[in-house]
Amino acid sequence: VQLQASGGGLVQPGGSLTVSCAASGGSFRLYAMGWFRQAPGKAHEFVAGINSRGDSTYYSDSVKGRFTMSRDNAKNLVHLQMSSLKPEDTAVYYCAARPLVVVTSDDYNFWGQGTLVTVSS
């Protein structure tokens, strides 16, 4: 499975942004998807996950209530809608895929290249 993340950019604090991940080359509907991020000088961090059917989502405490993850299995896409963004959300965001179930560790089989989100005034 190849993953291509897109949609990053510069947004002001309190603003909103949606990043997306397009999958190709595999049976997308069989994969759970995750979003991770890495800020400069910080560890890789689980942000959100969605199971293969799209009926269960998981969020880190730092983004719960502000971020929403969704998927479109017909279009092989996942989205991460981010709102009420804070400067501490600034990071490179990566999408990742693994069979069936979400885990919060880095135990994913496939990774996208990352898209930079910068939250700054």
Side-chain angles (χ1 to χ4, degrees):
V1 175
Q2 291 80 48
L3 302 174
Q4 179 77 37
S6 63
L10 174 65
V11 61
Q12 291 188 340
S16 299
L17 190 70
T18 297
V19 292
S20 299
C21 179
S24 61
S27 298
F28 178 72
R29 62 181 178 82
L30 299 180
Y31 288 93
M33 300 297 295
W35 281 101
F36 291 76
R37 67 185 181 187
Q38 188 162 23
K42 294 191 176 180
H44 209 221
E45 175 189 16
F46 172 83
V47 175
I50 190 166
N51 69 348
S52 58
R53 295 187 305 274
D55 55 5
S56 292
T57 51
Y58 309 84
Y59 300 96
S60 67
D61 288 343
S62 62
V63 307
K64 197 173 295 182
R66 299 188 298 120
F67 289 14
T68 302
M69 186 173 182
S70 61
R71 68 187 295 159
D72 184 340
N73 282 352
K75 296 182 179 179
N76 289 6
L77 289 170
V78 292
H79 306 289
L80 184 68
Q81 297 173 277
M82 305 180 288
S83 61
S84 302
L85 283 161
K86 305 174 182 179
E88 51 263 44
D89 294 317
T90 295
V92 177
Y93 284 72
Y94 299 89
C95 56
R98 72 184 310 278
L100 297 178
V101 297
V102 172
V103 298
T104 59
S105 70
D106 285 354
D107 187 19
Y108 283 70
N109 303 73
F110 307 100
W111 291 83
Q113 86 291 356
T115 187
L116 176 63
V117 173
T118 303
V119 184
S120 175
S121 54

